[in-house]
Amino acid sequence: MAGPSTGEDASLRPERILELSERLSAVAGEKIGEIAYVNRSAKMLAINALIVAARAGEAGRGFAIVAEEFKTISTQIDVVAAALESQVRADLDELTAIGGAILGHLRGQRLVDLALNAIEIIDRNLYERTCDVRWWATDSAVVDCVAAPSREAAAYASQRLKVILDAYTVYLDLWIADPSGRVIASGRPDRYPAARNASVADAPWFRDALRTRSGDDFTVCDIERVKALNDAPVATYATAIREGGQADGRVLGVLGVHFDWKPQAQAVVDGVRLTDEERTRSRVLLLDQNHRVLASSDGKGVLEETFPLDTTGGDMASYADGARTIGYALTPGYETYRGLGWYGCLVQTAEAEKVSATFRAGVKAA
């Protein structure tokens, strides 16, 4: 069955509620004004008729009675018109407020849904990273590199890591560190020479990975710039490398995988399904648990700006901020990945021609 035409789609837009109420308000005001104008003219004619009747004396007495009655009716019409204007105006104002509230709710709910979708895509992507690091830490070349350290073992492990990187383009580099925190092998030593023999002993991901209870566990840090990776922003996932590649084996070192955050996150915020018109007045954000901007559709404030997100509405909500509607969703996690308390967030400014005091009042009532 064919879908609705473009014209039908346009007629069903929620914004039509406000458009129609504004049109009705304008028409009602115009027609009531016309009634008042015609009635004023009729009243003037009645007054003139009374004057002429008075001058005519007894001969104009009957005409004076008709003119006086006409004047009374005209006064009654004024009362009815005033009451009509008062009631219609009140109802139209209420209709506009209700329409604004409905529109604000619908817009807010849509932004929440889009925000949730964005953070879910990131979560699913990062869940795969948790699988990768735990899997690759059991690779024999990786295990042998820390179990029996040698130049040859490190070279072979580096070669294996390069093979992985060639297949998994979402990573900048993979590092193998010994128990002291010294990087003894990496996948791209030519591109990132500073990684060779670098110390990660103080890196939270390294320390936390050493303390993992089994090969089923992993650690992850918030997005940070890593100097040895040319100051690129990365999400680092790590786990302990264990003897024999066994989940309960003795800890021999740590494998850290550096997820290339910027292009992957940018693809997510740019891929949110907005119309071309909406995109011009919308900002899509990924925020960490402290509301620091991790990614932004306009490319601004990444890892520098803290967005003033109001989360008093719960894990998923929307609210009005002046002419802006803000929708957000807290990460729900995915499979065994619980997430890091990040948020998807959309900030959308109302269409310029729709912004009015009445509309804003209606949105705030949502």
Side-chain angles (χ1 to χ4, degrees):
M1 181 177 176
S5 67
T6 302
E8 290 173 333
D9 283 344
S11 69
L12 295 175
R13 290 183 302 118
E15 289 82 358
R16 286 286 291 166
I17 296 174
L18 292 181
E19 291 172 0
L20 290 172
S21 67
E22 290 172 1
R23 184 186 301 175
L24 283 171
S25 180
V27 170
E30 179 184 349
K31 298 307 177 185
I32 291 172
E34 290 178 3
I35 292 172
Y37 174 77
V38 170
N39 199 46
R40 282 195 301 271
S41 299
K43 189 178 293 185
M44 288 301 300
L45 287 174
I47 292 172
N48 289 334
L50 285 172
I51 294 172
V52 172
R55 288 175 179 173
E58 187 65 26
R61 186 176 179 183
F63 187 65
I65 294 173
V66 174
E68 188 64 41
E69 186 64 24
F70 193 80
K71 181 181 175 183
T72 300
I73 293 172
S74 182
T75 301
Q76 291 174 342
I77 291 174
D78 275 342
V79 172
V80 171
L84 177 63
E85 181 178 19
S86 175
Q87 185 61 54
V88 167
R89 182 63 57 195
D91 288 349
L92 286 174
D93 286 347
E94 183 179 0
L95 176 61
T96 300
I98 293 173
I102 293 172
L103 181 58
H105 174 75
L106 292 175
R107 177 181 289 117
Q109 187 57 53
R110 179 166 181 268
L111 297 185
V112 169
D113 291 342
L114 291 174
L116 177 61
N117 181 249
I119 198 65
E120 282 184 328
I121 291 173
I122 280 293
D123 277 352
R124 292 184 183 190
N125 201 322
L126 297 182
Y127 164 71
E128 294 177 10
R129 313 292 67 89
T130 72
C131 298
D132 291 344
V133 69
R134 288 176 287 178
W135 167 31
W136 296 333
T138 66
D139 186 281
S140 60
V142 174
V143 174
D144 291 345
C145 184
V146 287
S150 68
R151 181 175 297 178
E152 292 74 17
Y156 181 60
S158 180
Q159 180 184 346
R160 285 288 300 154
L161 295 181
K162 182 181 183 303
V163 171
I164 292 173
L165 288 170
D166 288 342
Y168 290 81
T169 58
V170 297
Y171 293 103
L172 284 180
D173 208 356
L174 313 179
W175 294 354
I176 298 173
D178 66 17
S180 70
R182 184 173 64 91
V183 177
I184 59 176
S186 64
R188 288 176 172 153
D190 295 334
R191 184 183 300 184
Y192 305 113
R196 288 182 291 184
N197 296 316
S199 175
V200 294
D202 294 330
W205 58 265
F206 172 78
R207 296 198 305 267
D208 292 344
L210 280 180
R211 292 193 292 266
T212 52
R213 292 175 297 179
S214 78
D216 296 325
D217 298 330
F218 65 92
T219 184
V220 58
C221 294
D222 279 329
I223 308 303
E224 62 177 357
R225 296 186 183 278
V226 176
K227 187 175 181 180
L229 296 174
N230 298 338
D231 209 33
V234 297
T236 301
Y237 286 74
T239 193
I241 303 169
R242 297 176 180 272
E243 191 172 38
Q246 298 300 309
D248 58 354
R250 179 171 60 91
V251 174
L252 303 174
V254 168
L255 173 65
V257 300
H258 301 294
F259 180 66
D260 190 4
W261 173 254
K262 184 177 179 179
Q264 315 307 325
Q266 196 65 42
V268 171
V269 294
D270 288 345
V272 170
R273 301 187 67 177
L274 296 168
T275 65
D276 291 341
E277 187 278 326
E278 284 180 314
R279 203 170 293 280
T280 63
R281 53 188 177 87
S282 301
R283 189 184 187 200
V284 185
L285 301 167
L286 294 176
L287 309 173
D288 70 10
Q289 67 271 28
N290 297 314
H291 307 164
R292 180 181 59 145
V293 175
L294 300 176
S296 175
S297 57
D298 61 8
K300 298 178 181 178
V302 177
L303 302 186
E304 296 175 354
E305 175 190 352
T306 297
F307 184 79
L309 182 66
D310 181 357
T311 60
T312 55
D315 292 349
M316 294 188 296
S318 66
Y319 60 93
D321 178 18
R324 304 187 307 172
T325 301
I326 299 170
Y328 68 88
L330 175 67
T331 169
Y334 183 71
E335 298 288 349
T336 57
Y337 180 67
R338 295 189 300 274
L340 297 174
W342 292 357
Y343 292 87
C345 178
L346 271 87
V347 183
Q348 191 171 91
T349 303
E351 297 174 70
E353 65 271 19
K354 300 297 180 186
V355 178
S356 65
T358 303
F359 173 74
R360 288 195 293 272
V363 173
K364 288 181 179 179

